[in-house]
Amino acid sequence: MSAAEGPLVVGVDSSTQSTKALVVDASTGRVVASGQAPHTVSSGAGRETHPRQWWDALCDALRQCGEAAHEAAAVSVGGQQHGLVTLDGRGEPVRPALLWNDVRSAPQARRLTEELGGAKFWAERTGSVPAASFTVTKWAWLAEHEPEAVRATKAVRLPHDYLTERLTGQGTTDRGDVSGTGWWASRTEAYDEEILAHVGLDPALLPRVAGPGEIVGTVRDSHDLPFSKGTLVAPGTGDNAAAALGLGLRPGVAVMSLGTSGTVYAVSQRRPADPSGTVAGFADARGDWLPLACTLNCTLAVDRVAALVGLDREAVEPGTAVTLLPYLDGERTPNLPNASGLLHGLRHDTTAGQLLQAAYDGAVHSLLGALDLVLDEDADPSEPLLLIGGGARGTAWQQTVRRLSGRPVQVPEARELVALGAAAQAAGLLTGEDPAAVARRWDTAAGPVLDAVERDHETLARIAGVLSDAAPLLRRPTDTH
């Protein structure tokens, strides 16, 4: 390992399918070591992972970093949002965690919205209208379907909270991740006692919300991790807030993240409250806000279509007649939790490559539908759209986003932005800097800019028409067994 210019920090990305750890030079942003380990997600009606898999994967990823991790002075964990982790009195998981893309709580989301003043109440109180992804709906589902698990629960955590607590022994979260639970009031920045009482959740079971830049503890000596004694631990945050830190995002710049899920978001200094439920009014990890819209079906759905038609994911062909709504896991934007995929316009001359392009078009259409709602009114539409995530380097994804958005697209060269954002947060503990300023100093958003092309209004209108016409079918419950 070559000599670092400054202290080393560790940034962690505990995502849906794997955990990654980066050891980063806090002075330059250079990644000096990395590691990655997978975890599994259940199939069928639910999406669950046992939290111990995250911890085992974190330990494995850190061991792969070798001596560099031992030299690190601070660590921070970014993690998948919304997941419900229930712990017993010994801090052990009561049951596997319910993940963000588990849509079994869609009925509870509808009921909670109706029972507590409707969508406007929730948007004003928490910044968001409950969807099946939100933690509060998962707790309500658990109380209804597994009351014995609720009775055994002595602590409730989010995925990143669980890992941070395993590191420090202290139950903490941060404003970015907690804003996606549905039980944190964005107006007062405190747990909402009325909502908690309504769902029967004792606030004493919840972690303390640490402030931006706070040291939440040091790594404990009680486990075999390659950290030195006294390594500082930052609050961590949710994956989207961590990626925003990793980009050094300034207000008004739009981000489209192409991963298992797809998201569009931007930093704003105005507290969001969208009663339509399209935009989630999340907090960021710094003190501003992160209005965000999310789709459940992005790269995973497109890759599944590619596999079904036996093509490489880049083997798209142009076509104007076929429409594919790739709602393979239900959908969140638009809010259709019970939907399944829908194909319209199939002809004898339709090719497999056209079907694949239609899957890309359907996924990007969902994201672009929320982009204008995410951005502040004074945002400059000529600014490049930052394209990140696993799909961002795919030519088919890039060209589809350009064609359907009509905007220039910039693809940052930096990889693992969630882990880099966590590393920037850890570096901020050492330098006293704003983590976003740290990332800008590291120049993480640098990358090629693809010029704007004429917007394909015809395809957008066709998809919108099919979506409208098929609404009754898409809202019909689907038998998943």
Side-chain angles (χ1 to χ4, degrees):
M1 184 181 75
S2 58
E5 294 185 26
L8 298 180
V9 294
V10 172
V12 175
D13 173 12
S14 182
S15 65
T16 313
Q17 299 182 36
S18 68
T19 293
K20 310 170 192 76
L22 302 181
V23 183
V24 180
D25 184 332
S27 177
T28 65
R30 182 172 63 91
V31 177
V32 301
S34 64
Q36 179 173 348
H39 20 85
T40 60
V41 178
S42 66
S43 58
R47 295 290 185 273
E48 301 181 356
T49 298
H50 199 287
R52 278 197 292 268
Q53 286 199 48
W54 302 331
W55 178 253
D56 292 342
L58 174 60
C59 293
D60 190 356
L62 287 169
R63 281 192 289 267
Q64 293 171 37
C65 294
E67 181 61 24
H70 183 74
E71 295 179 12
V75 58
S76 181
V77 178
Q80 56 178 303
Q81 291 183 256
H82 304 307
L84 176 64
V85 180
T86 51
L87 304 177
D88 63 21
R90 298 175 295 115
E92 292 296 322
V94 171
R95 67 178 314 285
L98 299 171
L99 304 187
W100 60 273
N101 55 348
D102 188 320
V103 298
R104 286 178 291 178
S105 60
Q108 286 73 25
R110 288 192 295 271
R111 191 165 66 241
L112 287 175
T113 303
E114 295 166 358
E115 290 172 350
L116 279 179
K120 190 173 187 297
F121 166 91
W122 283 89
E124 284 298 320
R125 190 73 74 91
T126 71
S128 306
V129 180
S133 56
F134 280 59
T135 325
V136 68
T137 72
K138 300 181 189 305
W139 176 260
W141 181 90
L142 194 67
E144 184 174 332
H145 291 273
E146 299 181 19
E148 69 286 354
V150 166
R151 286 192 293 270
T153 297
K154 304 304 178 187
V156 172
R157 301 290 185 261
L158 295 166
H160 114 260
D161 306 343
Y162 171 77
L163 291 174
T164 301
E165 186 167 355
R166 288 289 301 262
L167 288 171
T168 66
Q170 305 295 317
T172 58
T173 190
D174 91 300
R175 70 191 295 273
D177 211 2
V178 77
S179 65
T181 59
W183 54 56
W184 184 80
S186 62
R187 183 180 294 280
T188 60
E189 300 209 20
Y191 288 125
D192 191 300
E193 294 184 4
E194 181 179 359
I195 292 173
L196 290 171
H198 188 78
V199 297
L201 178 54
D202 184 349
L205 274 57
L206 299 175
R208 180 178 68 85
V209 183
E214 182 179 336
I215 297 170
V216 299
T218 58
V219 176
R220 291 190 290 178
D221 295 332
S222 57
H223 41 58
D224 184 25
L225 287 176
F227 285 122
S228 300
K229 185 176 181 179
T231 302
L232 303 180
V233 181
T237 193
D239 50 5
N240 290 297
L245 289 182
L247 288 165
L249 208 59
R250 297 183 187 274
V253 178
V255 176
M256 180 179 288
S257 177
L258 304 172
T260 303
S261 65
T263 57
V264 288
Y265 57 85
V267 170
S268 175
Q269 294 176 333
R270 303 167 188 157
R271 187 182 73 90
D274 175 18
S276 77
T278 301
V279 176
F282 296 147
D284 77 353
R286 299 172 51 257
D288 287 331
W289 302 95
L290 198 71
L292 177 147
C294 177
T295 64
L296 294 183
N297 298 279
C298 195
T299 60
L300 202 62
V302 170
D303 286 353
R304 180 60 182 148
V305 172
L308 285 171
V309 297
L311 293 179
D312 180 90
R313 64 169 66 96
E314 295 289 342
V316 295
E317 296 177 35
T320 58
V322 65
T323 299
L324 202 163
L325 304 179
Y327 304 157
L328 307 190
D329 281 318
E331 192 44 85
R332 176 168 158 184
T333 304
N335 186 23
L336 297 165
N338 295 316
S340 56
L342 186 146
L343 177 63
H344 177 75
L346 197 63
R347 299 287 187 184
H348 280 291
D349 60 354
T350 302
T351 68
Q354 289 171 337
L355 280 178
L356 181 56
Q357 180 61 67
Y360 279 98
D361 288 350
V364 172
H365 174 272
S366 294
L367 287 167
L368 291 177
L371 184 60
D372 289 340
L373 295 173
V374 164
L375 287 169
D376 289 337
E377 293 178 1
D378 54 359
D380 184 354
S382 67
E383 281 285 322
L385 176 62
L386 294 180
L387 203 62
I388 67 170
R393 286 174 171 76
T395 301
W397 279 111
Q398 292 174 3
Q399 299 308 319
T400 303
V401 172
R402 290 176 74 202
R403 177 171 52 83
L404 295 185
S405 71
R407 296 178 60 134
V409 169
Q410 183 170 3
V411 184
E413 292 176 349
R415 297 176 181 266
E416 309 301 351
L417 285 162
V418 173
L420 275 176
Q425 193 185 55
L429 294 186
L430 305 178
T431 66
E433 291 175 273
D434 173 355
V438 171
R440 289 193 289 270
R441 178 162 56 75
W442 293 348
D443 203 18
T444 52
V449 178
L450 309 176
D451 292 336
V453 298
E454 184 178 357
R455 194 171 195 187
D456 185 354
H457 292 285
E458 182 180 346
T459 295
L460 292 169
R462 174 169 45 80
I463 296 172
V466 171
L467 179 58
S468 176
D469 291 345
L473 190 62
L474 292 168
R475 288 187 169 88
R476 185 181 301 168
T478 301
D479 184 4
T480 58
H481 301 285

Tab-separated table of all heavy atoms in Angstrom, residues 425-472:
chain	number	residue	atom	x	y	z
A	425	GLN	N	-18.340	11.437	5.132
A	425	GLN	CA	-18.908	11.734	6.455
A	425	GLN	C	-17.903	11.388	7.549
A	425	GLN	O	-17.726	12.155	8.509
A	425	GLN	CB	-20.205	10.946	6.649
A	425	GLN	CG	-21.024	11.415	7.851
A	425	GLN	CD	-22.243	10.545	8.086
A	425	GLN	OE1	-22.121	9.330	8.216
A	425	GLN	NE2	-23.413	11.168	8.145
A	426	ALA	N	-17.229	10.248	7.408
A	426	ALA	CA	-16.202	9.875	8.385
A	426	ALA	C	-15.049	10.873	8.368
A	426	ALA	O	-14.526	11.263	9.427
A	426	ALA	CB	-15.685	8.458	8.084
A	427	ALA	N	-14.652	11.331	7.168
A	427	ALA	CA	-13.572	12.311	7.071
A	427	ALA	C	-13.950	13.623	7.741
A	427	ALA	O	-13.105	14.291	8.356
A	427	ALA	CB	-13.214	12.544	5.603
A	428	GLY	N	-15.231	13.995	7.631
A	428	GLY	CA	-15.691	15.226	8.262
A	428	GLY	C	-15.522	15.215	9.769
A	428	GLY	O	-15.338	16.273	10.396
A	429	LEU	N	-15.589	14.021	10.376
A	429	LEU	CA	-15.350	13.923	11.820
A	429	LEU	C	-13.930	14.352	12.165
A	429	LEU	O	-13.683	14.932	13.229
A	429	LEU	CB	-15.559	12.486	12.309
A	429	LEU	CG	-16.950	11.876	12.263
A	429	LEU	CD1	-16.930	10.508	12.936
A	429	LEU	CD2	-17.983	12.768	12.926
A	430	LEU	N	-13.003	14.056	11.268
A	430	LEU	CA	-11.588	14.330	11.545
A	430	LEU	C	-11.201	15.765	11.215
A	430	LEU	O	-10.358	16.355	11.889
A	430	LEU	CB	-10.704	13.371	10.747
A	430	LEU	CG	-10.977	11.865	10.927
A	430	LEU	CD1	-10.045	11.063	10.035
A	430	LEU	CD2	-10.817	11.456	12.380
A	431	THR	N	-11.816	16.334	10.162
A	431	THR	CA	-11.397	17.657	9.687
A	431	THR	C	-12.327	18.778	10.093
A	431	THR	O	-11.979	19.950	9.974
A	431	THR	CB	-11.301	17.657	8.151
A	431	THR	OG1	-12.616	17.480	7.590
A	431	THR	CG2	-10.380	16.539	7.658
A	432	GLY	N	-13.542	18.424	10.554
A	432	GLY	CA	-14.527	19.446	10.881
A	432	GLY	C	-15.233	20.018	9.673
A	432	GLY	O	-16.014	20.968	9.792
A	433	GLU	N	-15.012	19.448	8.491
A	433	GLU	CA	-15.620	19.942	7.261
A	433	GLU	C	-17.036	19.380	7.062
A	433	GLU	O	-17.388	18.310	7.565
A	433	GLU	CB	-14.786	19.534	6.051
A	433	GLU	CG	-13.446	20.190	5.908
A	433	GLU	CD	-12.690	19.588	4.741
A	433	GLU	OE1	-12.003	18.564	4.937
A	433	GLU	OE2	-12.789	20.141	3.630
A	434	ASP	N	-17.825	20.091	6.254
A	434	ASP	CA	-19.066	19.578	5.711
A	434	ASP	C	-18.711	18.394	4.811
A	434	ASP	O	-17.859	18.517	3.922
A	434	ASP	CB	-19.733	20.696	4.906
A	434	ASP	CG	-20.971	20.249	4.148
A	434	ASP	OD1	-21.295	19.054	4.148
A	434	ASP	OD2	-21.617	21.128	3.542
A	435	PRO	N	-19.326	17.214	5.015
A	435	PRO	CA	-18.973	16.055	4.180
A	435	PRO	C	-19.143	16.302	2.688
A	435	PRO	O	-18.365	15.778	1.880
A	435	PRO	CB	-19.918	14.957	4.676
A	435	PRO	CG	-20.247	15.351	6.076
A	435	PRO	CD	-20.265	16.850	6.085
A	436	ALA	N	-20.160	17.096	2.300
A	436	ALA	CA	-20.331	17.396	0.876
A	436	ALA	C	-19.150	18.211	0.351
A	436	ALA	O	-18.711	18.019	-0.794
A	436	ALA	CB	-21.640	18.138	0.647
A	437	ALA	N	-18.620	19.104	1.182
A	437	ALA	CA	-17.431	19.870	0.780
A	437	ALA	C	-16.213	18.952	0.652
A	437	ALA	O	-15.361	19.149	-0.223
A	437	ALA	CB	-17.161	20.990	1.785
A	438	VAL	N	-16.133	17.953	1.529
A	438	VAL	CA	-15.058	16.965	1.421
A	438	VAL	C	-15.131	16.273	0.064
A	438	VAL	O	-14.134	16.138	-0.651
A	438	VAL	CB	-15.145	15.926	2.559
A	438	VAL	CG1	-14.157	14.785	2.324
A	438	VAL	CG2	-14.893	16.577	3.908
A	439	ALA	N	-16.339	15.830	-0.321
A	439	ALA	CA	-16.506	15.132	-1.596
A	439	ALA	C	-16.192	16.042	-2.776
A	439	ALA	O	-15.600	15.596	-3.772
A	439	ALA	CB	-17.924	14.584	-1.707
A	440	ARG	N	-16.567	17.314	-2.687
A	440	ARG	CA	-16.230	18.237	-3.774
A	440	ARG	C	-14.713	18.416	-3.871
A	440	ARG	O	-14.161	18.525	-4.969
A	440	ARG	CB	-16.943	19.573	-3.582
A	440	ARG	CG	-18.444	19.499	-3.820
A	440	ARG	CD	-19.071	20.874	-3.932
A	440	ARG	NE	-19.110	21.595	-2.674
A	440	ARG	CZ	-20.108	21.537	-1.794
A	440	ARG	NH1	-21.156	20.744	-2.031
A	440	ARG	NH2	-20.084	22.248	-0.690
A	441	ARG	N	-14.059	18.430	-2.728
A	441	ARG	CA	-12.595	18.507	-2.739
A	441	ARG	C	-11.996	17.254	-3.385
A	441	ARG	O	-10.966	17.322	-4.057
A	441	ARG	CB	-12.111	18.687	-1.292
A	441	ARG	CG	-10.608	18.732	-1.120
A	441	ARG	CD	-10.208	19.339	0.224
A	441	ARG	NE	-10.765	18.687	1.378
A	441	ARG	CZ	-10.350	17.512	1.862
A	441	ARG	NH1	-9.385	16.856	1.242
A	441	ARG	NH2	-10.902	16.989	2.943
A	442	TRP	N	-12.655	16.114	-3.199
A	442	TRP	CA	-12.205	14.873	-3.831
A	442	TRP	C	-12.569	14.810	-5.321
A	442	TRP	O	-12.142	13.892	-6.022
A	442	TRP	CB	-12.823	13.669	-3.120
A	442	TRP	CG	-12.359	13.452	-1.714
A	442	TRP	CD1	-11.304	14.051	-1.083
A	442	TRP	CD2	-12.939	12.553	-0.759
A	442	TRP	NE1	-11.192	13.583	0.205
A	442	TRP	CE2	-12.182	12.658	0.435
A	442	TRP	CE3	-14.022	11.661	-0.793
A	442	TRP	CZ2	-12.475	11.907	1.585
A	442	TRP	CZ3	-14.325	10.923	0.343
A	442	TRP	CH2	-13.555	11.041	1.523
A	443	ASP	N	-13.435	15.735	-5.801
A	443	ASP	CA	-13.851	15.824	-7.211
A	443	ASP	C	-14.559	14.551	-7.666
A	443	ASP	O	-14.341	14.043	-8.769
A	443	ASP	CB	-12.641	16.105	-8.112
A	443	ASP	CG	-13.034	16.745	-9.439
A	443	ASP	OD1	-14.165	17.272	-9.524
A	443	ASP	OD2	-12.229	16.709	-10.381
A	444	THR	N	-15.459	14.065	-6.821
A	444	THR	CA	-16.114	12.787	-7.091
A	444	THR	C	-17.123	12.846	-8.233
A	444	THR	O	-17.439	11.811	-8.825
A	444	THR	CB	-16.843	12.304	-5.833
A	444	THR	OG1	-17.696	13.355	-5.364
A	444	THR	CG2	-15.866	11.921	-4.731
A	445	ALA	N	-17.669	14.027	-8.537
A	445	ALA	CA	-18.689	14.117	-9.589
A	445	ALA	C	-18.085	14.267	-10.979
A	445	ALA	O	-18.827	14.287	-11.973
A	445	ALA	CB	-19.630	15.284	-9.314
A	446	ALA	N	-16.765	14.374	-11.093
A	446	ALA	CA	-16.135	14.563	-12.396
A	446	ALA	C	-16.420	13.373	-13.305
A	446	ALA	O	-16.385	12.216	-12.881
A	446	ALA	CB	-14.628	14.742	-12.225
A	447	GLY	N	-16.717	13.665	-14.578
A	447	GLY	CA	-16.977	12.603	-15.536
A	447	GLY	C	-17.464	13.182	-16.842
A	447	GLY	O	-17.778	14.371	-16.930
A	448	PRO	N	-17.537	12.357	-17.877
A	448	PRO	CA	-17.935	12.847	-19.200
A	448	PRO	C	-19.381	13.340	-19.219
A	448	PRO	O	-20.246	12.800	-18.514
A	448	PRO	CB	-17.754	11.621	-20.102
A	448	PRO	CG	-17.849	10.451	-19.174
A	448	PRO	CD	-17.260	10.908	-17.881
A	449	VAL	N	-19.625	14.372	-20.031
A	449	VAL	CA	-20.970	14.913	-20.226
A	449	VAL	C	-21.441	14.549	-21.628
A	449	VAL	O	-20.759	14.852	-22.618
A	449	VAL	CB	-20.999	16.439	-20.029
A	449	VAL	CG1	-22.405	16.974	-20.298
A	449	VAL	CG2	-20.553	16.813	-18.629
A	450	LEU	N	-22.589	13.892	-21.711
A	450	LEU	CA	-23.201	13.541	-22.993
A	450	LEU	C	-24.207	14.628	-23.348
A	450	LEU	O	-25.094	14.939	-22.563
A	450	LEU	CB	-23.898	12.180	-22.897
A	450	LEU	CG	-23.048	11.034	-22.322
A	450	LEU	CD1	-23.887	9.767	-22.186
A	450	LEU	CD2	-21.838	10.774	-23.191
A	451	ASP	N	-24.058	15.213	-24.527
A	451	ASP	CA	-24.914	16.335	-24.920
A	451	ASP	C	-26.376	15.925	-24.989
A	451	ASP	O	-26.716	14.753	-25.219
A	451	ASP	CB	-24.484	16.875	-26.284
A	451	ASP	CG	-23.121	17.540	-26.247
A	451	ASP	OD1	-22.721	17.993	-25.151
A	451	ASP	OD2	-22.456	17.604	-27.300
A	452	ALA	N	-27.232	16.919	-24.831
A	452	ALA	CA	-28.670	16.689	-24.940
A	452	ALA	C	-29.042	16.328	-26.373
A	452	ALA	O	-28.407	16.770	-27.333
A	452	ALA	CB	-29.428	17.934	-24.495
A	453	VAL	N	-30.071	15.485	-26.525
A	453	VAL	CA	-30.646	15.171	-27.831
A	453	VAL	C	-32.123	15.549	-27.790
A	453	VAL	O	-32.687	15.821	-26.719
A	453	VAL	CB	-30.487	13.673	-28.179
A	453	VAL	CG1	-29.018	13.293	-28.266
A	453	VAL	CG2	-31.208	12.790	-27.158
A	454	GLU	N	-32.740	15.582	-28.956
A	454	GLU	CA	-34.154	15.942	-29.014
A	454	GLU	C	-34.991	14.943	-28.220
A	454	GLU	O	-34.809	13.725	-28.335
A	454	GLU	CB	-34.634	15.975	-30.468
A	454	GLU	CG	-36.074	16.435	-30.612
A	454	GLU	CD	-36.511	16.519	-32.066
A	454	GLU	OE1	-35.668	16.281	-32.958
A	454	GLU	OE2	-37.695	16.819	-32.308
A	455	ARG	N	-35.897	15.460	-27.444
A	455	ARG	CA	-36.691	14.600	-26.569
A	455	ARG	C	-37.708	13.795	-27.373
A	455	ARG	O	-38.374	14.316	-28.284
A	455	ARG	CB	-37.417	15.442	-25.520
A	455	ARG	CG	-37.980	14.619	-24.375
A	455	ARG	CD	-38.493	15.486	-23.244
A	455	ARG	NE	-38.706	14.709	-22.043
A	455	ARG	CZ	-39.272	15.176	-20.931
A	455	ARG	NH1	-39.661	16.448	-20.877
A	455	ARG	NH2	-39.425	14.399	-19.879
A	456	ASP	N	-37.836	12.507	-27.016
A	456	ASP	CA	-38.740	11.582	-27.714
A	456	ASP	C	-40.128	11.672	-27.087
A	456	ASP	O	-40.542	10.808	-26.305
A	456	ASP	CB	-38.171	10.163	-27.630
A	456	ASP	CG	-38.974	9.149	-28.422
A	456	ASP	OD1	-40.040	9.506	-28.962
A	456	ASP	OD2	-38.533	7.973	-28.496
A	457	HIS	N	-40.866	12.723	-27.446
A	457	HIS	CA	-42.196	12.921	-26.864
A	457	HIS	C	-43.170	11.830	-27.297
A	457	HIS	O	-44.092	11.477	-26.547
A	457	HIS	CB	-42.732	14.299	-27.281
A	457	HIS	CG	-41.989	15.449	-26.679
A	457	HIS	ND1	-42.139	15.817	-25.359
A	457	HIS	CD2	-41.085	16.305	-27.217
A	457	HIS	CE1	-41.361	16.853	-25.103
A	457	HIS	NE2	-40.711	17.170	-26.209
A	458	GLU	N	-42.977	11.272	-28.488
A	458	GLU	CA	-43.892	10.253	-28.994
A	458	GLU	C	-43.877	9.011	-28.096
A	458	GLU	O	-44.934	8.476	-27.730
A	458	GLU	CB	-43.519	9.883	-30.426
A	458	GLU	CG	-44.457	8.868	-31.054
A	458	GLU	CD	-44.069	8.516	-32.487
A	458	GLU	OE1	-43.240	9.253	-33.064
A	458	GLU	OE2	-44.590	7.504	-33.010
A	459	THR	N	-42.678	8.540	-27.737
A	459	THR	CA	-42.589	7.362	-26.865
A	459	THR	C	-43.147	7.658	-25.477
A	459	THR	O	-43.869	6.831	-24.897
A	459	THR	CB	-41.122	6.892	-26.765
A	459	THR	OG1	-40.685	6.446	-28.043
A	459	THR	CG2	-40.975	5.762	-25.759
A	460	LEU	N	-42.844	8.832	-24.943
A	460	LEU	CA	-43.373	9.197	-23.630
A	460	LEU	C	-44.897	9.204	-23.639
A	460	LEU	O	-45.541	8.695	-22.702
A	460	LEU	CB	-42.837	10.569	-23.219
A	460	LEU	CG	-41.336	10.647	-22.921
A	460	LEU	CD1	-40.905	12.106	-22.806
A	460	LEU	CD2	-41.001	9.895	-21.641
A	461	ALA	N	-45.499	9.759	-24.692
A	461	ALA	CA	-46.964	9.823	-24.771
A	461	ALA	C	-47.564	8.428	-24.916
A	461	ALA	O	-48.613	8.119	-24.327
A	461	ALA	CB	-47.372	10.706	-25.950
A	462	ARG	N	-46.894	7.571	-25.697
A	462	ARG	CA	-47.411	6.207	-25.880
A	462	ARG	C	-47.408	5.436	-24.567
A	462	ARG	O	-48.387	4.757	-24.220
A	462	ARG	CB	-46.579	5.477	-26.940
A	462	ARG	CG	-46.935	4.013	-27.109
A	462	ARG	CD	-46.289	3.410	-28.346
A	462	ARG	NE	-44.899	3.765	-28.493
A	462	ARG	CZ	-43.890	3.187	-27.840
A	462	ARG	NH1	-44.151	2.217	-26.945
A	462	ARG	NH2	-42.643	3.547	-28.050
A	463	ILE	N	-46.314	5.528	-23.817
A	463	ILE	CA	-46.245	4.821	-22.535
A	463	ILE	C	-47.295	5.369	-21.572
A	463	ILE	O	-47.986	4.600	-20.880
A	463	ILE	CB	-44.834	4.942	-21.931
A	463	ILE	CG1	-43.806	4.251	-22.824
A	463	ILE	CG2	-44.796	4.325	-20.532
A	463	ILE	CD1	-42.369	4.492	-22.401
A	464	ALA	N	-47.426	6.690	-21.528
A	464	ALA	CA	-48.424	7.299	-20.642
A	464	ALA	C	-49.827	6.843	-21.006
A	464	ALA	O	-50.668	6.597	-20.127
A	464	ALA	CB	-48.317	8.820	-20.708
A	465	GLY	N	-50.109	6.708	-22.300
A	465	GLY	CA	-51.428	6.256	-22.724
A	465	GLY	C	-51.720	4.830	-22.312
A	465	GLY	O	-52.817	4.510	-21.829
A	466	VAL	N	-50.744	3.938	-22.486
A	466	VAL	CA	-50.925	2.549	-22.065
A	466	VAL	C	-51.107	2.471	-20.553
A	466	VAL	O	-51.971	1.730	-20.054
A	466	VAL	CB	-49.726	1.692	-22.527
A	466	VAL	CG1	-49.797	0.293	-21.905
A	466	VAL	CG2	-49.677	1.606	-24.044
A	467	LEU	N	-50.308	3.242	-19.828
A	467	LEU	CA	-50.421	3.248	-18.372
A	467	LEU	C	-51.810	3.690	-17.926
A	467	LEU	O	-52.419	3.093	-17.031
A	467	LEU	CB	-49.347	4.172	-17.787
A	467	LEU	CG	-49.293	4.346	-16.274
A	467	LEU	CD1	-49.110	3.008	-15.574
A	467	LEU	CD2	-48.165	5.294	-15.895
A	468	SER	N	-52.328	4.718	-18.571
A	468	SER	CA	-53.660	5.215	-18.216
A	468	SER	C	-54.740	4.193	-18.556
A	468	SER	O	-55.626	3.911	-17.739
A	468	SER	CB	-53.923	6.531	-18.959
A	468	SER	OG	-55.233	6.982	-18.716
A	469	ASP	N	-54.663	3.629	-19.756
A	469	ASP	CA	-55.686	2.672	-20.181
A	469	ASP	C	-55.671	1.396	-19.341
A	469	ASP	O	-56.708	0.759	-19.136
A	469	ASP	CB	-55.481	2.311	-21.656
A	469	ASP	CG	-55.784	3.469	-22.589
A	469	ASP	OD1	-56.418	4.441	-22.145
A	469	ASP	OD2	-55.350	3.417	-23.762
A	470	ALA	N	-54.483	1.013	-18.879
A	470	ALA	CA	-54.336	-0.253	-18.150
A	470	ALA	C	-54.510	-0.090	-16.649
A	470	ALA	O	-54.349	-1.068	-15.905
A	470	ALA	CB	-52.971	-0.859	-18.444
A	471	ALA	N	-54.849	1.116	-16.174
A	471	ALA	CA	-54.906	1.377	-14.731
A	471	ALA	C	-55.753	0.365	-13.956
A	471	ALA	O	-55.317	-0.140	-12.915
A	471	ALA	CB	-55.381	2.800	-14.482
A	472	PRO	N	-56.970	0.027	-14.415
A	472	PRO	CA	-57.758	-0.949	-13.640
A	472	PRO	C	-57.069	-2.303	-13.520
A	472	PRO	O	-57.116	-2.952	-12.476
A	472	PRO	CB	-59.067	-1.058	-14.440
A	472	PRO	CG	-59.146	0.213	-15.222
A	472	PRO	CD	-57.720	0.545	-15.571
